[in-house]
Amino acid sequence: MKKLGSIILACAFACALTAMGAGLAFADESPDRAALRVLFPQVEGFSMTDEDGSHRGLVVDYLNEIAKYTGWEYEYVTVSDDFALSNFTSGEYDLLGGTYYVAAAASRIAYPEYSCGPSKSVLFSRWDDGSIRGYDYADLNGKTIAVSARATENVRRLEGFLATENIDCTIKKYTIDEFVDGSLEYLLDSGEVDLLLGNAVDNTGAYRPAAIFDGQPHYLVTTPENQDVLDGLNWALEHIMEANPNFAEEAYARNFPDADINMYRVNHQERLYVEKKKSITVALPCDYSPLSVGGNSEDGRVGGVVYRFLDRIEAFSGLNVDCLYVESYSAALDALRSGQVDMLGFFLGDEDDAAQAGLALSSSYATFSNLVARNKLVAYPSENLRYVALEGTQIPSDVPTGDVRYVKSEHEALNMVDKGQADVVFGLSVQIEGAMQQGVYSNVVPVSLTGSATDICFALPRPADPDLLTIVNKSLNSMSVNAKAAAVEENRITAGYGTLTLVDYLSANPMLVAGLAAVTVLLILAIAVGVTRSRVRAADMRVEAERVAAEGRAKSEFLSRMSHEIRTPMNAVVGITDVLDMQKDDPEALRKNIARLRASSDYLLSLLNDVLDTSRVENGMMDIAYEPFSLTENVAELQDMMQAQADARIIDLQVVTKVSHEGVVGDSLRLKQVLSNLLSNAIKFTPEGGVVRLVVEETGFDGERATFFFGVADSGVGISPEDQRRIFNAFAQVGSAASKSQGTGLGLPLCQSLVRLMGGELQVRSELGSGSEFSFSLVFAMGTPEPRRDRSVDRELFKGFHILLVEDGSVNAAITTNVLELHGARVTWAIDGRQAVDLFAASRLGEFDAVLMDMRMPVMDGVEATRAIRLLPRSDAREIPIVAMTANAFKESEGAARDAGMNEFVTKPLDIDEVFDVLGRLLKR
């Protein structure tokens, strides 16, 4: 076993995993640069060198992926896992993988912005410590944990894990001087401590893994002098995350596929069982390839998949395994039911089938796809088909069946289908395909079943002998993924050894010979007719193909843009989260990064709203509000919102307002949405130092209604005449490749639709190189807007009111509760609809004043809970205001909420002002 202490030291000094990508742009700047030197310590799973000199591991996976973007080449320098930090910081090497962030080393090691994902931390205990069973965290209470004093981040994550699981432990920190042979294992062996903090790579089986949890993230690092390499790492890692946000998780699973297999051992109770039982007997059919083949040798074992797993049970537990060979699968089932054997070698069915047969299944040790073979004159699937299958097998519920007849062999079943005595045969694909190629079944056609497979398990009589079932499951679960796969593949019978000649085929189909000549003549005629018709259809097909291709390109472009637009802010969220973790002691940095997170989340929400609004418009579901608002206040808010974007691009944003009647009636939200979209486009397509101008001018008034002109002009690149004809088409984008990469192409079409719904028409005037102007006119009735109230300082807005909050998300519930309590409300939280109904039913009459109800929850959703509350036999159940909260913003959801008896409907993420307006109106505040 690799010493736990040496791994901790290697990780603390920087033995890292991956993400190095200094971009093709950087490679172009220095085309003659030599290969980057990679310090390559030998750490299991992370960085390993095979006997042939090839390199592999999680670090290599990242380096190879980075090289696709940067064109970098590498020179791997292999060292032992206990190298000194000075070996790297001396400047002799360019890259090091598997490195944890250590604040004290930040001046000597350059960390990129993105990590290569978290490592796995493990709490190890002694196998002979009976107080720790390895599956119940309650066993850890009161225990003492030894940790390295240098592993500060791992200790912090350990403390977080203990707090999350409500575990009370004593953590003892040991300095490097207290290590023996680079390890703290002697403390665990002597009983001075109960647990030792290590890593997943330490899980060799010498100690029991009592708990496994996410450790600190690891990095691919360089030195501060290598700024171009650091820039390249950041550039390539960002592109890798954008292309596949799960890359780190997949790379870890690929290099640590069996991180938990060494947590299985026979315990004291099971050893007593083995000593008393000594041997077990397993029933197997004599010839059921590839699971069991033969059964007539002296030791009774000829071959097959199942024997490798029976050998594993013997080696793991010490039990002797004897086999009882019977003529068929159904006979093996009978031997188990009659008590002749302790276990069935394999069961062909799922858990429901096993329960109906009175059997208990072990863990799965292999999986085979299912197959049906049909008579070629029969359509599959269809009704009233006649099925044939092997005796004892169960046809899965996802396979449509009619009458089923059971036979003893695959050949008998295939003969019945070939001769028309049955329509379809069902079985494992390896068996049906092998049997078909051993015989002549010219009327049988195989049909693949997508997603249909059978898990192969051992079976015991129900209720199962608990010690035997546990031993069997431990034996199987302690095998690595590769070992299981090898056991299946080396025993799989290769199909194709049967030979089918033309004479065999014709002799099996005598009617075919008589009709062959007639078919030939008809075929010639059909070809002639087909050629003529194909020429007629060719033109239509080309037109249809072009239309389908155009639609496909439009969809592909939309999905590509949406992927880019979503991944860009998501990359910021992921990256800034890691940076926040490192900068938790810097308040100013925290404030700036939190602002960036909010900007990214606001952009994601606006993007989603654009897509939803486009769908509403296309389906005729978009409604325009008619509410009083202040036009000048609306424009001022818009200017504040867009000023930061203009300042970032060094754009002079000018706003001109000439309005005589400020109070109007209309949809202020949709008006602001149109103008912000137009301003955003103008800023995006205007070079630095340019001007963007918003004009809002009252152009007419008839005593009741006023006409207003809205114009957005810029000094940007302009739009060509041909592009002006298509910019209002969905997904259309114009301009340079760089500008096209921003946005989805939905903004202008949506603006045009909204302006038309409000009674106007969006116009464009532009010339290439001279800027653009988008304008429209709207007519509004006069109105008096209500003065806005600053709720942020009204701490008694809901004083005296008791609100029942129903929300299954603990984070959302905590946020909503804090906001309401800050404004005087008392809040009771229910985690699902059932708990909400129970709390309301048990409350005093009138105790709750309102209910905030999430729509989608486990156990009972919001619609069901609302109906249940409304039906309670008490007067306040019919009168209490119930407000729906949901992330589904479509009309159908609002309709379902109101039909169930809800009073109002608000969408997530919650707009606090909207929530306050709704509650204030319902509570008469």
Side-chain angles (χ1 to χ4, degrees):
M1 171 183 176
K2 188 185 290 285
K3 294 298 184 183
L4 300 177
S6 65
I7 290 297
I8 293 173
L9 288 175
C11 292
F13 282 132
C15 244
L17 223 219
T18 66
M20 137 189 196
L24 287 171
F26 303 94
D28 291 340
E29 294 173 4
S30 53
D32 298 327
R33 175 168 188 159
L36 298 180
R37 289 174 57 82
V38 180
L39 189 60
F40 203 72
Q42 299 301 290
V43 181
E44 186 69 25
F46 286 95
S47 47
M48 300 168 287
T49 304
D50 293 333
E51 292 181 357
D52 61 0
S54 60
H55 301 91
R56 59 187 176 89
L58 201 156
V59 171
V60 177
D61 285 356
Y62 261 94
L63 291 176
N64 289 339
E65 192 69 11
I66 289 169
K68 296 176 184 178
Y69 291 92
T70 63
W72 283 350
E73 295 181 355
Y74 310 111
E75 176 189 350
Y76 292 96
V77 182
T78 301
V79 295
S80 63
D81 65 345
D82 57 353
F83 67 96
L85 182 62
S86 59
N87 293 138
F88 178 70
T89 58
S90 63
E92 183 180 354
Y93 303 98
D94 300 294
L95 292 164
L96 175 64
T99 305
Y100 299 149
Y101 178 79
V102 179
S107 62
R108 292 174 291 167
I109 295 177
Y111 294 88
E113 296 177 6
Y114 303 97
S115 76
C116 301
S119 60
K120 294 292 181 181
S121 292
V122 183
L123 289 177
F124 292 98
S125 67
R126 300 188 310 278
W127 282 107
D128 61 359
D129 187 350
S131 67
I132 300 177
R133 294 167 291 180
Y135 56 84
D136 189 351
Y137 288 160
D139 293 348
L140 307 183
N141 277 308
K143 303 298 184 182
T144 301
I145 305 173
V147 302
S148 169
R150 305 186 66 160
T152 55
E153 178 61 18
N154 272 342
V155 173
R156 187 184 70 81
R157 290 177 179 262
L158 169 63
E159 292 170 344
F161 166 73
L162 297 176
T164 300
E165 299 297 336
N166 197 25
I167 302 171
D168 182 16
C169 287
T170 299
I171 298 176
K172 297 186 67 175
K173 299 180 180 179
Y174 293 85
T175 65
I176 191 66
D177 296 331
E178 296 175 280
F179 280 58
V180 176
D181 294 332
S183 169
L184 296 174
E185 293 174 9
Y186 74 94
L187 298 171
L188 193 60
D189 295 334
S190 66
E192 184 173 340
V193 298
D194 306 295
L195 298 161
L196 180 61
L197 178 63
N199 296 278
V201 294
D202 305 323
N203 188 13
T204 62
Y207 298 95
R208 181 202 301 276
I212 301 176
F213 54 94
D214 280 346
Q216 65 188 101
H218 48 84
Y219 294 83
L220 192 66
V221 302
T222 184
T223 55
E225 297 78 16
N226 275 337
Q227 184 61 44
D228 59 334
V229 175
L230 180 62
D231 292 341
L233 281 174
N234 286 322
W235 182 85
L237 286 173
E238 180 177 3
H239 281 74
I240 291 171
M241 292 175 61
E242 181 172 355
N244 181 8
N246 298 319
F247 184 86
E249 182 177 337
E250 293 169 359
Y252 190 92
R254 189 164 53 247
N255 289 282
F256 297 91
D258 305 303
D260 60 349
I261 63 172
N262 288 318
M263 60 194 306
Y264 304 100
R265 275 197 178 183
V266 177
N267 61 29
H268 177 71
Q269 173 64 32
E270 292 157 356
R271 282 195 295 271
L272 294 177
Y273 173 85
V274 172
E275 292 174 2
K276 181 178 180 181
K277 183 72 173 175
K278 292 185 173 56
S279 66
I280 61 171
T281 305
V282 179
L284 286 170
C286 287
D287 194 356
Y288 207 97
S289 64
L291 292 168
S292 63
V293 181
N296 299 316
S297 64
E298 292 182 1
D299 65 356
R301 297 191 182 185
V302 173
V305 172
V306 69
Y307 295 109
R308 285 289 300 274
F309 297 98
L310 293 177
D311 289 341
R312 177 60 183 174
I313 293 174
E314 285 187 337
F316 180 85
S317 67
L319 281 170
N320 292 319
V321 179
D322 301 320
C323 296
L324 174 66
Y325 296 97
V326 293
E327 62 178 358
S328 66
Y329 175 72
S330 59
L333 282 169
D334 292 338
L336 181 64
R337 294 190 182 104
S338 65
Q340 291 180 262
V341 297
D342 302 288
M343 191 165 68
L344 180 66
F346 53 86
F347 180 79
L348 302 180
D350 57 20
E351 289 285 354
D352 292 337
D353 299 327
Q356 293 178 11
L359 303 178
L361 299 184
S362 71
S363 298
S364 169
Y365 58 83
T367 300
F368 292 110
S369 59
N370 296 320
L371 181 75
V372 298
R374 63 175 177 85
N375 186 289
K376 64 183 180 181
L377 299 178
V378 172
Y380 179 88
S382 59
E383 297 180 355
N384 301 320
L385 293 178
R386 297 168 297 168
Y387 276 73
V388 60
L390 296 181
E391 290 181 354
T393 61
Q394 300 291 332
I395 299 179
S397 57
D398 58 348
V399 177
T401 60
D403 296 331
V404 182
R405 181 176 174 181
Y406 294 94
V407 296
K408 293 184 179 296
S409 71
E410 298 90 354
H411 291 289
E412 184 179 353
L414 287 168
N415 275 322
M416 292 178 63
V417 175
D418 188 60
K419 295 177 181 179
Q421 298 170 354
D423 300 313
V424 178
V425 59
F426 172 87
L428 300 181
S429 61
V430 291
Q431 295 181 301
I432 300 297
E433 290 172 348
M436 287 181 65
Q437 297 191 25
Q438 293 179 49
V440 180
Y441 306 107
S442 55
N443 295 318
V444 179
V445 179
V447 180
S448 297
L449 297 175
T450 303
S452 180
T454 296
D455 290 329
I456 308 301
C457 311
F458 293 109
L460 291 76
R462 185 188 292 257
D465 182 332
D467 291 321
L468 177 57
L469 180 59
T470 303
I471 288 173
V472 170
N473 283 337
K474 282 185 175 181
S475 302
L476 299 177
N477 294 335
S478 66
M479 293 184 71
S480 70
V481 173
N482 292 336
K484 289 182 179 179
V488 173
E489 290 303 321
E490 71 183 21
N491 290 284
R492 189 187 294 271
I493 302 299
T494 302
Y497 52 80
T499 302
L500 183 62
T501 66
L502 179 61
V503 174
D504 293 333
Y505 186 82
L506 294 177
S507 63
N509 296 272
M511 295 299 295
L512 182 63
V513 178
L516 191 57
V519 170
T520 303
V521 174
L522 292 174
L523 182 59
I524 294 173
L525 294 174
I527 291 174
V529 174
V531 170
T532 302
R533 291 183 176 178
S534 65
R535 292 177 178 176
V536 175
R537 292 198 302 264
D540 293 337
M541 291 176 64
R542 282 195 297 270
V543 172
E544 179 64 14
E546 291 175 359
R547 183 187 65 80
V548 172
E551 292 179 354
R553 286 193 298 271
K555 291 179 181 178
S556 297
E557 288 181 7
F558 171 68
L559 292 175
S560 175
R561 292 173 189 144
M562 285 300 295
S563 174
H564 176 274
E565 291 300 302
I566 291 174
R567 288 180 187 275
T568 297
M570 280 305 299
N571 279 339
V573 172
V574 173
I576 292 172
T577 301
D578 283 341
V579 173
L580 285 174
D581 190 50
M582 300 178 192
Q583 298 177 335
K584 52 183 174 291
D585 297 325
D586 187 346
E588 181 61 20
L590 284 174
R591 184 188 63 78
K592 292 181 179 178
N593 283 318
I594 288 172
R596 292 170 185 161
L597 283 175
R598 176 169 293 279
S600 295
S601 61
D602 288 343
Y603 178 76
L604 280 171
L605 183 59
S606 67
L607 180 66
L608 177 59
N609 286 336
D610 276 356
V611 175
L612 292 176
D613 286 345
T614 300
S615 176
R616 289 191 182 102
V617 170
E618 291 179 350
N619 292 290
M621 299 170 59
M622 175 66 73
D623 293 326
I624 295 299
Y626 293 94
E627 298 173 345
F629 69 97
S630 169
L631 186 57
T632 55
E633 187 175 341
N634 189 283
V635 173
E637 291 174 352
L638 182 63
Q639 182 178 9
D640 291 340
M641 184 173 64
M642 303 305 300
Q643 190 64 54
Q645 184 178 344
D647 292 342
R649 294 292 303 273
I650 316 179
I651 300 296
D652 181 14
L653 176 61
Q654 301 176 358
V655 178
V656 178
T657 306
K658 299 178 181 179
V659 174
S660 300
H661 299 86
E662 176 182 342
V664 296
V665 175
D667 197 329
S668 62
L669 178 63
R670 298 304 176 193
L671 177 60
K672 186 184 295 183
Q673 183 177 359
V674 171
L675 293 177
S676 65
N677 218 320
L678 296 177
L679 286 170
S680 179
N681 281 347
I683 293 171
K684 178 169 61 177
F685 289 98
T686 299
E688 291 184 0
V691 177
V692 173
R693 182 182 179 88
L694 168 64
V695 175
V696 180
E697 182 178 0
E698 183 174 341
T699 58
F701 179 67
D702 63 3
E704 295 181 354
R705 302 190 304 171
T707 303
F708 297 88
F709 169 84
F710 300 88
V712 175
D714 62 70
S715 60
V717 296
I719 306 171
S720 66
E722 56 270 26
D723 286 337
Q724 291 180 38
R725 290 191 289 269
R726 63 186 186 90
I727 57 174
F728 295 113
N729 296 333
F731 313 129
Q733 289 185 307
V734 300
S736 65
S739 62
K740 286 183 180 180
S741 68
Q742 308 173 55
T744 62
L746 294 177
L748 285 177
L750 180 58
C751 288
Q752 178 69 285
S753 299
L754 293 176
V755 170
R756 286 175 176 172
L757 287 172
M758 290 187 288
E761 185 71 19
L762 184 57
Q763 306 286 344
V764 59
R765 289 191 304 112
S766 180
E767 290 182 10
L768 281 176
S770 300
S772 306
E773 180 183 19
F774 289 82
S775 62
F776 57 95
S777 294
L778 297 177
V779 178
F780 292 116
M782 297 297 98
T784 302
E786 296 181 0
R788 296 200 172 188
R789 181 178 184 181
D790 185 6
R791 298 186 180 88
S792 61
V793 297
D794 189 352
R795 301 302 186 186
E796 297 185 354
L797 181 63
F798 300 116
K799 184 177 181 181
F801 290 102
H802 189 182
I803 297 173
L804 176 59
L805 173 64
V806 191
E807 167 65 68
D808 63 321
S810 58
V811 175
N812 290 338
I815 294 172
T816 307
T817 298
N818 289 340
V819 171
L820 291 172
E821 289 179 346
L822 284 173
H823 292 79
R826 185 160 65 99
V827 180
T828 296
W829 175 35
I831 199 169
D832 56 51
R834 170 52 61 193
Q835 187 178 13
V837 174
D838 294 340
L839 284 171
F840 190 90
S843 67
R844 300 186 310 276
L845 192 67
E847 179 178 348
F848 292 107
D849 300 289
V851 180
L852 290 177
M853 180 75 72
D854 191 13
M855 292 284 281
R856 290 190 178 181
M857 295 177 291
V859 183
M860 179 184 286
D861 62 26
V863 170
E864 293 175 313
T866 298
R867 290 191 179 122
I869 290 175
R870 293 302 190 201
L871 291 174
L872 290 174
R874 45 191 289 172
S875 59
D876 59 346
R878 294 183 295 275
E879 299 171 356
I880 187 170
I882 301 180
V883 179
M885 303 185 301
T886 181
N888 189 340
F890 288 100
K891 283 288 185 181
E892 306 89 277
S893 298
E894 183 174 358
R898 295 193 184 280
D899 291 343
M902 297 184 181
N903 301 85
E904 291 289 350
F905 181 93
V906 296
T907 58
K908 295 180 180 179
L910 296 178
D911 182 334
I912 296 303
D913 284 340
E914 181 184 7
V915 174
F916 282 0
D917 285 338
V918 170
L919 284 177
R921 186 167 61 254
L922 294 174
L923 298 174
K924 309 304 181 185
R925 280 288 176 92

